[in-house]
Amino acid sequence: MAASQVIEPLHLFAIPSEVLDNLTLRQSPLAQPRPSEPIVEEQVPVAPSNPGAASCNLCPGTALNDVQEQRAHFRSDWHRYNVKLRLQNPTATPVTETQFASLVDGLEESISGSESPDSNESDASEDKVTTLLQRTRLKGKSRSVSPEGRNIPKSPILWFTSPNIQDTQFGIYATIFSTNSSSDTYVQELRDMQDGGEEGRQWAVFMTAGGHFAGAVIRVSKSVAEKTAEAAEAAAAAAAPAAPKKKTKASKVPPKPAFFLEVIRHKTFHRYTTFITPITSDGLTTAPARRKQGGSQSVNDNAKGPAKSAGALLRRYGEQALKDDIRGLLTEWREDIEASERIFIRANTANMRIFLDFDDSPIEK
């Protein structure tokens, strides 16, 4: 295929072999590992100045000659900081007394400005240690350079390239692939999708929001037998001698699309479930209604308690009727839904329960 050839939009289930055989997933630039930062050598723990004195197992460089010094050390901000640092991150390296003094110097201005005149010393020390730990936690997150540990933004579209087609990228929605697939199996799944199987491929789509519902069961790919028969007919037509064409006016009928799509079932309906609040002006007339910035009646009932107005009763009835209508439709379409290879549902958390949380649901969780 020439590099300058114009590529028409491709159908997911009819990708040309010259494109599919060389298709590769384009790696995101954000997924590339960053240049490694220079490694800062950790300071070697300082040995106690008095070899015969007791020491703290956590704080490096301590020398505790008697019980009074041990008690004073365990109550110090330095020791409490190292203890909480280890609890926060077991792999963290405790700081020496000199390092802790440097950290405290950096907080001196902010701590002195935030203290009140009647605050006691223990509260100030606790605030000091807490602030240092918060800064250490934030600094540790900002210095993370591991590509696996970074939260790389996810795109809803996966982009593929083919070496034999220059300056062209092919975008496929990530939701098309199975949930347990990885970047190593995307191309193989695309190859499998070219095979329609014995009965073809069938997908189901459901959407609900604001009292509206739309659902459809679609046959997106023909079976192997149908594709074979069409290929044989096309080959026979190409081999047959072409009949002389009559001069006729150009037909205005658009050409048939290159892809196959058959809607097996479809349904839409609506129920009154959301608030509609009238806007009054000067207390006499009523302006056109607008939707309230809120939600469904059930959300309002959970937050403020059940309302007793006529509108609230209508909205509760609409919510229950919408739930019953959707579940009745799912039961009616059970055979087609169970035969669907993919089921796409667009709904919030509350509405998702309509499809899944009822006995004998045709959609498995």
Side-chain angles (χ1 to χ4, degrees), residues 73-120:
H73 171 73
F74 294 144
R75 294 172 182 171
S76 65
D77 294 341
W78 172 33
H79 178 78
R80 292 191 300 109
Y81 174 79
N82 281 333
V83 170
K84 293 186 177 182
L85 180 65
R86 181 59 62 86
L87 292 176
Q88 176 179 300
N89 183 9
T91 61
T93 304
V95 299
T96 62
E97 189 173 10
T98 304
Q99 292 173 334
F100 181 74
S102 300
L103 294 175
V104 172
D105 291 340
L107 289 177
E108 186 175 4
E109 294 183 0
S110 60
I111 292 178
S112 61
S114 61
E115 289 179 352
S116 58
D118 55 350
S119 62
N120 55 41

Side-chain angles (χ1 to χ4, degrees), residues 18-29:
E18 59 269 22
V19 176
L20 187 60
D21 294 341
N22 300 283
L23 207 61
T24 56
L25 178 66
R26 190 194 71 178
Q27 297 294 333
S28 172

Side-chain angles (χ1 to χ4, degrees), residues 57-75:
N57 294 331
L58 186 61
C59 302
T62 55
L64 309 175
N65 296 318
D66 52 26
V67 177
Q68 298 297 331
E69 291 186 2
Q70 293 179 13
R71 291 177 179 174
H73 171 73
F74 294 144
R75 294 172 182 171

Side-chain angles (χ1 to χ4, degrees), residues 52-332:
S55 61
C56 177
N57 294 331
L58 186 61
C59 302
T62 55
L64 309 175
N65 296 318
D66 52 26
V67 177
Q68 298 297 331
E69 291 186 2
Q70 293 179 13
R71 291 177 179 174
H73 171 73
F74 294 144
R75 294 172 182 171
S76 65
D77 294 341
W78 172 33
H79 178 78
R80 292 191 300 109
Y81 174 79
N82 281 333
V83 170
K84 293 186 177 182
L85 180 65
R86 181 59 62 86
L87 292 176
Q88 176 179 300
N89 183 9
T91 61
T93 304
V95 299
T96 62
E97 189 173 10
T98 304
Q99 292 173 334
F100 181 74
S102 300
L103 294 175
V104 172
D105 291 340
L107 289 177
E108 186 175 4
E109 294 183 0
S110 60
I111 292 178
S112 61
S114 61
E115 289 179 352
S116 58
D118 55 350
S119 62
N120 55 41
E121 184 179 355
S122 61
D123 292 340
S125 299
E126 188 66 26
D127 292 341
K128 183 191 304 181
V129 174
T130 302
T131 306
L132 286 175
L133 289 170
Q134 291 176 351
R135 291 195 175 186
T136 303
R137 187 185 302 112
L138 294 175
K139 187 182 298 184
K141 289 182 179 180
S142 63
R143 290 184 177 180
S144 176
V145 297
S146 174
E148 294 80 4
R150 288 183 290 148
N151 293 327
I152 300 175
K154 293 184 178 180
S155 171
I157 300 178
L158 299 175
W159 294 98
F160 296 82
T161 59
S162 185
N164 58 335
I165 305 177
Q166 301 297 328
D167 302 328
T168 302
Q169 299 183 29
F170 305 93
I172 301 175
Y173 280 97
T175 54
I176 295 297
F177 300 96
S178 57
T179 55
N180 57 352
S181 61
S182 61
S183 57
D184 300 332
T185 61
Y186 288 152
V187 177
Q188 183 58 44
E189 283 196 41
L190 290 176
R191 294 192 179 99
D192 296 339
M193 289 181 185
Q194 309 310 304
D195 182 6
E198 297 181 358
E199 300 180 357
R201 294 183 180 274
Q202 187 170 297
W203 289 2
V205 182
F206 301 100
M207 298 180 288
T208 180
H212 298 271
F213 170 82
V217 178
I218 307 169
R219 192 162 174 252
V220 295
S221 178
K222 295 182 179 181
S223 63
V224 175
E226 291 174 321
K227 290 183 177 181
T228 304
E230 288 183 354
E233 291 179 2
K245 296 182 179 180
K246 297 181 180 180
K247 294 183 179 181
T248 58
K249 294 182 179 180
S251 176
K252 297 183 179 180
V253 179
K256 293 183 179 180
F259 58 86
F260 169 80
L261 189 67
E262 179 184 357
V263 179
I264 300 176
R265 290 177 177 268
H266 65 93
K267 184 70 174 180
T268 61
F269 47 78
H270 171 257
R271 292 287 185 174
Y272 170 50
T273 62
T274 56
F275 288 96
I276 297 181
T277 304
I279 304 174
T280 59
S281 60
D282 49 37
L284 298 176
T285 59
T286 303
R290 70 176 182 184
R291 287 192 177 276
K292 182 179 179 181
Q293 297 297 326
S296 61
Q297 183 63 45
S298 60
V299 174
N300 185 75
D301 291 345
N302 294 332
K304 302 179 181 179
K308 299 181 180 180
S309 64
L313 295 176
L314 290 174
R315 287 186 288 270
R316 291 192 194 100
Y317 171 79
E319 290 183 2
Q320 186 61 40
L322 179 67
K323 181 188 299 184
D324 295 340
D325 290 343
I326 293 177
R327 291 180 174 177
L329 184 71
L330 296 178
T331 304
E332 181 182 350

Side-chain angles (χ1 to χ4, degrees), residues 356-358 361 363-365:
L356 305 178
D357 294 348
F358 72 98
S361 172
I363 303 177
E364 297 181 359
K365 293 185 180 180

